[in-house]
Every structure is written in C-alpha cells, then in structure tokens.
C-alpha cells in the first residue's frame, strides 16, 4: 500500500517532468555559431571572438579545470596542515588553527571570494605603481606576472622524445632492479634511470633547436600612455581571488576531516611509535597519517566535489568559467534550457571523474579483508 | 508507521504541487493574452501592475525614502493617471533582467517598463510586443576624467570592465575587433563588484548602456572623486531603444499603452504642459490640442480618442495634469543624471531628435 502510493507519486512526478521536457527546444545547433565575446583569462588556448560557441564553452571548461586542479592540491596541503595544527600541543598553534576553521567554515563562500577580490587583491598597487622586481616580476592589481616559457616550433617532436625517454628510463630501472634481486649487490637503478632521462631530454632539447624559450613579462605603453603587462605567466586577481577563496574555505572543512581521522585512531598507535623512539614528524608521516587516511578519504572526496561545484561562484567576479560562459551565451542568444543541461552534464562529468579517481585511491589504501 | 505516513503525505503534497503548477502554467502562462482581457483585468483590480527596475537612477530606481523614481516610473504613473485618474494607482513589481519576460508572459505584470531594449529576437520570439521607444540609448564607454583615452582607437592595449547581462560583451568585441583594437574585457554580473574594480584601477574603461553609465556617474561616491572625476566618451557602440512592453495578442491594451505614451510626446510637440493644461482645456488654441485633451474646439463636436481606447475622453488631461508631457518627464528624471535632452537622439523631431509621435486626428 505504502510502496504503491510512493510509486504512484514518483510516477506522476516523472510523467510531469517528461511532458514538460518534450515542450522544450533542446537543439544544440546554435553552439556552432560564432560566440562573439572575448575571454579575460585563457589557459592553453588561443580563443578569438570569431570562434564557435562550442570553442568558447571549451575555454570555460579549461578555466574551471585549472581552478579545480590547482585548488584541490592547495586545499589538501592547507587542510592537512591545519588539521594537524589543531591537535598540536602548542597552545598558540592549535588556537590559531581553531580560529581559522571556525571563522572560515561558518561564513558564506561567496562573501569570502568577494572580500578576497575587492578588499585584498584590488588594493594591490595600480599598474602605474606596479611592484617591479628586476623587470621580470610585476605585481599590480592587473596581474601578478612571472617569467614563464613559451613553446617553439619543435616542441611537439621534443615532447614525444621526452616521453619515450621517460618510458625507457622506467624500463631500465625495473630491469636493473630485477638484476639487483638476482645477482645481489647495488645496481643504482634509480640513479641510472634518472641519468638516462636527463641525458635524453637535455641533448635532444638542443638538437631540436631549444623548443622552449624563456618568456619574461614586460611593461608596454600604448600611444596614448596606457600601461599593460605583456607576456610571461599572468595570474589575474580574479583567478587568484577565486582560488584563495576556494582553497581557504575548503581547507577549513578538510582540517576537521583530518583532525577527526587522526583522533579516530587509538592513542596506542602514537604512544607505541613514541616508545620505538620515532620523532614527532616520523610518527605523523609513518604511523598516524597512513592509517588515518582510511577514515579521511571518503569525506575528503566530498570536499573535492564541493570545491568543484563551488568554483561556479567565480562568476561573481568576472572569472570566465563554465557558468560565466553559459550565462553570457544565454544573455546573447537565449537557449537557456539546452545550455543549463550542458552545464549540468559538464559538472556531473567533472565530479564523477574526481569520484572515480578518489574511489580507486580509497580501495588501494583500505585494509584488505575489511 | 507514523514515519511512513509522513512520507506518503509529503509525496502527495509534492505531487499535488506539481500538478497545480502544471495547470496554472497551462492556463495563463504561455498563451497570448486575449483581446481586451488585460484592460478588463486592470480596471477590475483598480491598480495597474508594472514591472520596473529598482537600481538604475534616472530610469527605475528605489530612492532612499522608499519611493520609486525615474523615466520608466513616470510612464507607469502616466498609465495609472490615464486609467484611474490617479497616478498613484500603480503597483511596482521589481523585475530582474532574467525574469522580466516571464513576469510579463505569466500576467504577473500588465506592462513591463524596465529599460528593456527592443530587439528583433525579443519582439518575435518572446511573448512580448514593444509599444513605443521612450528613450534611445546606446552602449557607451566611461573613463576617469584625467584618462588619456579620448576615442575608440585610444583603447588599444586597455583593460575594459563590462556590465554583463545583455549584449554588451558582444557589442564591445565586435566594434573593437573590427577596428583591430587589442583589449582585455572583464565582464561582471553585479554593479557593486564592477564599481570596486573600476574604482581600484583594475580597468582603464567601463562599458555599459549610456543611460546606465550616466546614472552611475551621477551617483559616483564623493570619496572616490564624485561625478566630475568621470567622463563619458562621445562614442556609441550600439543601438538600444528602450520602452514599455506588453504581451502579444491583446492589441487593445497595446494601443492604450502606446497612445498614452504618444500622448505625452504630442503634448510636448504642441506645447501643452502641466502648467498650462487647464487653460488650454478651457480654451483650446487649435484643433490638435482640443483633440488631445478631449474637449470641443470652437463649439464643434468633441473629437477625443479616449473613448475608443476604453478610457475617459479627457484621459490626457489627467496624464498631463498629474505627470506632465514627455519633456517634463525627461527633465525630472534623465536630465537629473546629466544626460541633456537638447541635441541628443531623444530631442523632439522638431529639434532634430528621434522623439516623434504619429499625428493625433
């Protein structure tokens, strides 16, 4: 009876959604037209406003992926450090970590991002007063510009050679390892492998005519005296603000996860390690964290997914990620429903990819037989 | 057991809500309005519901004292004066850029007067009919007064903040791309973030519709330099005709909205304003003015057009007496944000502008 009622209710809802969906124009032909707008931030792409909307959406995906990839690495480091710090015997360290966790996780992320942007990063020097270190580093509220490398014509062939060299080095290393096990003695497997890789990369680097060139930023002055920074690796304040916001916000949650993971271990683990004469650092890295990892990873995955989804808040401060691209297109040409479906599918794919990686990792660290 | 009953109850409520939502949407959501239905609804209600903006000085702005002000607001009041002889019989519904056409098509509002640009796709594809252009706007560029940027070409190498939400990004990319001008565009959603970024020197210039820029300039905080620290460039990147919008299908309501607005323009052309309206109604100097005000000229028959609109024959007397003619409305609202009418596109056609109403006869 109960099940039947629930099934009927669910059926009605699904029926309603399907009927509504059939009314909608779900064509995606509009994605092939020229997008018409430009990007302030691009990574690995050279997009131009005459390129297709699909290309524009691709730039948006790359911008999100860059944010999420760097964000996950940084927030993990921050969260683990803060989580350990909360358990520190040092009163000051543990209190600082507690204040960090409690203030950050109890305030909205959007507000934090806007504060990072308007109160901190926009208050950096204007471009006319940019901090200039030896004409290679520039810091202003336009961008943090760093020296970088640009790729030359033979970059592709050279990259293939480097990959082949890396594979050869790995093969060499395992061959030397096997010889080591058979014949005994030390064969310096890792050192030989590294040497092979280094020789191959460096020699072919010059043979292919130095495919990577240093690319240092420079300050340009236009005819009417406008200043801009050209070249190098430019970190825009928009990107930096969203990254800072996401890393610090998610890090506060990860800190709590790490703390609970460590506290879930019996105290005897730490005491036994101390009795063996291990130092504090050794106890943490060799005994405590590897075991705590089993408890930490599932909730940690949730936080990675939250970071991925929260990256959409970047739209508030003009960082052109997926939502920004989608909203701009909707404003220009409509087709809101297909675009939202596309955005939905994109986030779903990103999140599922992260889940798959984390679940694989989780299986590997779990105790066998549990 | 009690728990599962709760679940059933929640499910049932959810399903009923869904069905109810589906029914209301089918009843009056997507269909065009029927002839004369809107006027009847509005008259029965005794108040006209108008979708407006609350954050654009000069057009639709919520003032510190809690009242609405701006050109769009004045035309809403003009409609109320025409319908009910009371310019305050109007309910303002704040419409966002995203939901305004939904509000209109679902009959949450009777007319949309919210700095809405008349474009082919909106007019044709959406359940919306554009009545009259009340303000000829265009995308402009604002810079700091001491900036060296004078023309479009000076924007080479610049960073430009963009008020997102309409077609601003595309207009900018198209115009600067055609001229081969390299630039970086930063498109923001909200006014607060863009003000902070522009004020901090994150961008060299800021682009939005000129009406919007003039309002932002007029309200520019004194501690950041006040209005005089900003300068609007004499370039226009796009055409943005703004005006009242009604639903498709109800041509009687369309005519009513259109002719109340045209009435204010005709009054301006004929020199009838709130000050001299009483005298002119008592003793009309010519037949056009008599027709506009719905009074008899030189003892002849009354030749107004109010009755055929479903209004009182003297409805324009109420509009002009309580709100004023186009010029008075303009001077009370848009002139206040520093956009002079004389010499602009919004001058009367008699002065070389584009404000031109069809003849009343």
């Amino acid at each position: 009876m109960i099940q039947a009622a629930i099934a009927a209710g669910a059926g009605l809802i699904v029926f309603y959604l399907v009927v509504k969906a059939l009314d909608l124009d779900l064509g995606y032909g509009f994605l092939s037209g020229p997008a018409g707008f430009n990007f302030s931030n691009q990574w690995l792409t050279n997009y131009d406003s005459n390129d297709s909307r699909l290309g524009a959406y691709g730039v948006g995906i790359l911008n999100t992926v860059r944010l999420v990839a760097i964000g996950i690495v940084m927030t993990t480091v921050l969260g683990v450090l803060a989580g350990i710090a909360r358990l520190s015997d040092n009163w000051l360290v543990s209190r600082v970590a507690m204040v960090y966790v409690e203030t950050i996780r109890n305030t909205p992320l959007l507000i934090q991002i806007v504060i990072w942007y308007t109160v901190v990063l926009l208050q950096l020097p204007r471009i006319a007063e940019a901090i200039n270190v030896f004409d290679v580093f520039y810091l202003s509220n336009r961008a943090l510009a760093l020296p970088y490398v640009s790729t030359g014509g033979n970059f592709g062939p050279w990259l293939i050679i480097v990959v082949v060299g890396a594979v050869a080095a790995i093969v060499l290393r395992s061959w030397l390892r096997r010889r080591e096990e058979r014949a005994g003695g030390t064969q310096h497997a890792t050192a030989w492998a590294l040497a092979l890789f280094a020789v191959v990369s460096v020699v072919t680097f010059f043979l292919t005519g130095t495919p990577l060139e240093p690319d240092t930023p420079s300050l340009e002055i236009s005819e009417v005296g406008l200043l801009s920074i050209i070249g190098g690796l430019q970190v825009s304040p928009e990107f930096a603000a969203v990254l800072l916001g996401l890393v610090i916000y998610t890090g506060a949650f990860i800190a709590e996860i790490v703390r609970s993971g460590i506290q879930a271990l019996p105290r005897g683990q730490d005491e036994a390690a101390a009795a063996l004469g291990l130092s504090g650092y050794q106890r943490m890295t060799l005994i405590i964290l590897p075991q705590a990892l089993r408890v930490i990873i599932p909730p940690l995955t949730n936080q990675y997914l939250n970071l991925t989804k929260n990256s959409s808040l970047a739209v508030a401060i003009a960082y052109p990620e997926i939502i920004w691209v989608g909203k701009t297109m909707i404003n220009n040409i409509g087709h809101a429903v297909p675009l939202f479906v596309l955005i939905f599918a994109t986030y779903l794919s990103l999140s599922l990819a992260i889940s798959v990686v984390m679940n694989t990792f989780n299986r590997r660290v779990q105790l066998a037989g549990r | 057991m009690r728990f599962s009953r709760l679940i059933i109850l929640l499910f049932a409520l959810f399903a009923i809500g869904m069905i109810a939502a589906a029914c209301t949407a089918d009843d009056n959501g997507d269909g065009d309005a029927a002839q004369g239905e809107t006027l009847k609804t509005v008259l029965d209600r005794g108040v006209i519901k108008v979708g407006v903006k609350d954050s654009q000085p000069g057009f639709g702005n919520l003032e510190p004292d809690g009242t609405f002000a701006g050109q769009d607001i004045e035309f809403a009041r003009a409609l109320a004066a025409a319908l009910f002889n009371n310019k305050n019989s109007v309910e303002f519904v704040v419409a966002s850029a995203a939901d305004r056409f939904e509000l209109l098509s679902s009959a949450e509002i009777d007319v949309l007067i919210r700095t809405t640009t008349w474009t082919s796709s909106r007019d044709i594809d959406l359940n919306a009919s554009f009545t009259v252009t009340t303000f000829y706007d265009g995308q402009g560029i604002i810079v700091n007064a001491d900036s060296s940027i004078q023309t479009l070409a000076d924007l080479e190498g610049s960073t430009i903040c963009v008020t997102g939400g309409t077609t601003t990004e595309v207009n900018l990319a198209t115009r600067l791309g055609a001229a081969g001008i390299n630039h970086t565009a930063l498109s923001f959603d909200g006014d607060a973030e863009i003000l902070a970024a522009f004020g901090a020197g994150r961008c060299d210039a800021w682009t939005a519709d000129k009406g919007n820029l003039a309002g932002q300039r007029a309200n520019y905080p004194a501690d950041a330099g006040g209005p005089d620290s900003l300068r609007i460039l004499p370039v226009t990147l796009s055409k943005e005709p703004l005006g009242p919008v009604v639903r498709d299908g109800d041509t009687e309501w369309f005519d009513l909205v259109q002719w109340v607005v045209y009435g204010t323009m005709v009054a301006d052309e004929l020199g009838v304003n709130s000050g001299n309206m009483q005298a002119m109604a008592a003793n009309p100097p010519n037949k056009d003015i008599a027709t506009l005000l719905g009074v008899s000229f030189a003892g002849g028959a009354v030749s107004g057009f109010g009755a055929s609109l479903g209004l009182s024959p003297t409805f324009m007397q109420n509009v002009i007496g309580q709100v004023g003619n186009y010029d008075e409305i303009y001077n009370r609202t848009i002139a206040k944000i520093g956009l002079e009418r004389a010499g602009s596109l919004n001058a009367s056609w008699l002065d070389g502008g584009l404000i031109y109403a069809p003849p009343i006869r």
Side-chain angles (χ1 to χ4, degrees):
Chain A
M1 173 57 202
I2 295 165
Q3 284 87 344
I6 291 176
L12 268 175
I13 293 161
V14 170
F15 174 75
Y16 168 76
L17 291 176
V18 169
V19 166
K20 279 279 141 187
L22 287 176
D23 285 349
L24 301 166
D25 169 23
L26 283 173
Y28 283 91
F30 65 91
L31 282 177
S32 58
F37 53 86
N38 283 315
F39 282 86
S40 55
N41 280 266
Q42 287 198 50
W43 180 55
L44 297 178
T45 52
N46 191 16
Y47 178 84
D48 167 279
S49 64
N50 290 323
D51 293 345
S52 73
R53 296 200 177 92
L54 194 62
Y57 192 74
V59 176
I61 293 179
L62 278 177
N63 278 334
T64 294
V65 167
R66 168 166 75 150
L67 194 58
V68 169
I70 300 175
I72 283 180
V73 172
M74 286 174 66
T75 200
T76 308
V77 172
L78 177 70
V80 169
L81 289 179
I84 294 172
R86 275 212 71 176
L87 295 171
S88 169
D89 294 334
N90 184 316
W91 185 88
L92 186 65
V93 170
S94 68
R95 284 307 141 107
V96 167
M98 190 190 80
V99 170
Y100 157 63
V101 168
E102 295 303 335
T103 50
I104 294 297
R105 73 169 180 170
N106 290 316
T107 47
L109 175 55
L110 180 62
I111 307 297
Q112 291 182 25
I113 290 177
V114 171
I115 287 178
W116 280 115
Y117 185 58
T118 57
V119 180
V120 180
L121 293 165
L122 283 181
Q123 305 312 318
L124 288 170
R126 286 159 185 259
I127 190 159
E129 295 110 39
I131 298 169
N132 175 353
V133 184
F134 306 123
D135 286 340
V136 289
F137 291 93
Y138 293 91
L139 181 64
S140 75
N141 65 9
R142 294 289 173 92
L144 164 66
L146 305 166
Y148 196 54
V149 287
S150 61
T151 54
N154 284 328
F155 180 72
W158 178 70
L159 192 67
I160 294 171
I161 296 171
V162 168
V163 171
V164 171
V167 172
I170 291 167
V171 171
L172 176 73
R173 180 167 173 270
S174 60
W175 181 71
L176 286 174
R177 272 285 170 83
R178 278 200 301 277
R179 237 180 75 157
E180 201 173 79
E181 282 167 13
R182 273 202 313 275
T186 306
Q187 298 286 343
H188 303 291
T190 307
W192 277 112
L194 280 178
L196 174 72
F197 178 69
V199 168
V200 168
S201 324
V202 173
V203 170
T204 56
F205 180 76
F206 290 107
L207 285 180
T208 52
T210 60
L212 288 176
E213 296 281 352
D215 177 14
T216 51
S218 59
L219 201 60
E220 297 282 320
I221 304 178
S222 81
E223 274 179 41
V224 295
L226 297 184
L227 297 167
S228 56
I229 295 171
I230 307 286
L233 177 69
Q234 299 201 7
V235 182
S236 72
E238 292 79 30
F239 176 75
V242 182
L243 186 67
L244 274 173
L246 286 174
V247 163
I248 291 174
Y249 181 78
T250 316
F253 290 90
I254 294 181
E256 284 298 276
I257 292 169
V258 168
R259 181 177 68 90
S260 67
I262 291 173
Q263 286 184 327
L265 288 182
R267 281 197 70 80
Q269 293 289 327
D270 194 44
E271 288 163 1
L276 286 173
L278 297 180
S279 72
Y281 177 76
Q282 287 172 322
R283 291 204 297 274
M284 189 53 77
T285 55
L286 297 175
I287 309 294
I288 306 296
L289 276 184
Q291 297 187 77
L293 220 48
R294 295 184 191 126
V295 184
I296 289 172
I297 285 176
L300 188 65
T301 309
N302 284 340
Q303 291 308 321
Y304 288 174
L305 298 180
N306 281 343
L307 185 142
T308 308
K309 290 174 288 183
N310 287 339
S311 71
S312 59
L313 291 173
V315 69
I317 57 164
Y319 180 71
E321 42 66 72
I322 296 173
I323 302 277
W324 184 93
V325 176
K327 284 183 80 169
T328 306
M329 285 193 213
I330 289 169
N331 275 324
N332 287 327
I333 50 154
H335 298 282
V337 174
L339 276 166
F340 275 119
V341 170
L342 187 64
I343 291 169
F344 182 91
T346 310
Y347 275 105
L348 191 63
S349 317
L350 272 178
S351 296
L352 288 178
I354 293 171
S355 294
V356 166
V357 171
M358 292 303 290
N359 288 343
T360 312
F361 184 51
N362 189 32
R363 270 197 297 279
R364 292 190 58 173
V365 297
Q366 293 303 329
L367 280 180
R370 262 199 188 175
Chain B
M1 190 57 205
R2 284 173 62 196
F3 185 62
S4 27
R5 271 191 197 153
L6 186 68
I7 289 179
I8 293 176
L9 188 68
L10 286 176
F11 249 112
L13 278 175
F14 188 58
I16 290 167
M18 281 286 195
I19 293 163
C23 294
T24 41
D26 289 343
D27 283 349
N28 56 18
D30 308 322
D32 291 349
Q35 283 295 348
E37 189 189 89
T38 316
L39 177 60
K40 187 176 176 303
T41 311
V42 171
L43 290 176
D44 286 351
R45 199 196 293 128
V47 61
I48 180 174
K49 287 186 174 181
V50 185
V52 297
K53 196 172 180 182
D54 65 352
S55 60
Q56 188 169 337
F59 291 86
N61 197 38
L62 192 55
E63 300 292 303
D65 62 6
T67 60
F68 282 88
Q71 196 198 32
D72 291 349
I73 306 300
E74 298 282 341
F75 282 115
R77 294 198 190 285
L79 287 171
L83 286 160
F84 307 112
N85 191 16
N86 178 0
K87 68 170 184 174
N88 293 319
S89 291
V90 47
E91 181 183 332
F92 295 112
V93 178
V94 175
S96 75
D99 72 3
R100 51 184 159 184
F101 290 109
E102 273 303 310
L103 287 177
L104 183 67
S105 102
S106 62
E108 292 290 319
I109 53 178
D110 305 311
V111 54
L112 174 70
I113 318 184
R114 188 201 174 277
T115 59
T116 303
T117 301
W118 188 342
T119 69
S120 61
S121 61
R122 284 172 173 175
D123 205 352
I124 298 164
D125 297 343
L126 301 177
N127 181 6
S129 292
F130 289 77
T131 54
V132 194
T133 298
T134 51
F135 186 78
Y136 290 92
D137 207 348
Q139 188 176 337
I141 295 174
I142 199 167
V143 295
N144 282 311
D146 57 4
S147 163
S148 55
I149 300 170
Q150 304 288 346
T151 66
L152 220 50
D154 296 342
L155 290 167
E156 173 69 33
S158 64
T159 301
I160 304 170
C161 285
V162 181
T163 299
T166 53
T167 54
T168 10
E169 297 98 344
V170 174
N171 292 336
L172 183 74
T174 310
R175 284 295 296 271
L176 295 196
I181 298 166
N182 292 310
H183 67 282
T184 307
L186 271 183
S187 168
F188 291 82
D189 243 17
D191 282 345
E193 287 81 13
I194 205 169
L195 264 172
F198 181 75
R202 174 68 183 94
C203 30
D204 302 296
W206 171 7
T207 183
D209 286 354
K210 279 186 176 175
N212 186 359
L213 288 179
Q216 297 289 354
R217 181 176 176 275
N219 280 12
Y220 204 57
D223 57 359
D228 291 338
S229 69
L230 299 177
R231 172 162 55 86
I232 295 178
L233 295 186
V235 292
T236 305
L237 301 179
S238 69
K239 297 190 287 187
E240 310 285 344
L242 314 178
V245 192
V246 298
R247 272 182 297 283
D248 283 338
D250 191 346
T251 46
E252 286 181 21
W253 181 245
F254 179 96
D255 288 345
L256 189 151
V257 173
Q258 186 180 46
W259 279 99
V260 169
V261 176
Y262 276 147
T264 66
M265 294 178 184
V266 172
D268 177 30
E269 290 169 9
L270 296 174
V272 183
N273 59 41
S274 55
N276 62 18
M277 188 274 296
Q278 295 288 357
M280 291 222 181
N283 188 14
N286 59 49
K287 188 155 191 329
D288 285 345
I289 291 178
T291 311
L292 176 73
L293 299 177
V295 294
S296 95
F297 177 63
V302 173
S303 57
F305 58 106
S308 42
L309 286 174
L311 297 170
S312 135
T314 56
F315 77 101
M316 277 313 296
Q317 292 189 27
N318 304 334
V319 172
I320 296 167
Q322 295 181 23
V323 180
N325 67 26
Y326 183 90
D327 193 56
E328 290 176 276
I329 292 173
Y330 192 101
N331 287 331
R332 259 206 314 275
T333 56
I334 298 176
K336 287 278 162 52
I337 59 168
L339 288 177
E340 283 300 318
R341 187 172 178 217
S344 77
L345 290 178
N346 297 295
S348 166
W349 64 281
L350 295 166
D351 304 323
L354 292 179
I355 296 299
Y356 178 108
I360 285 185
R361 61 172 178 246

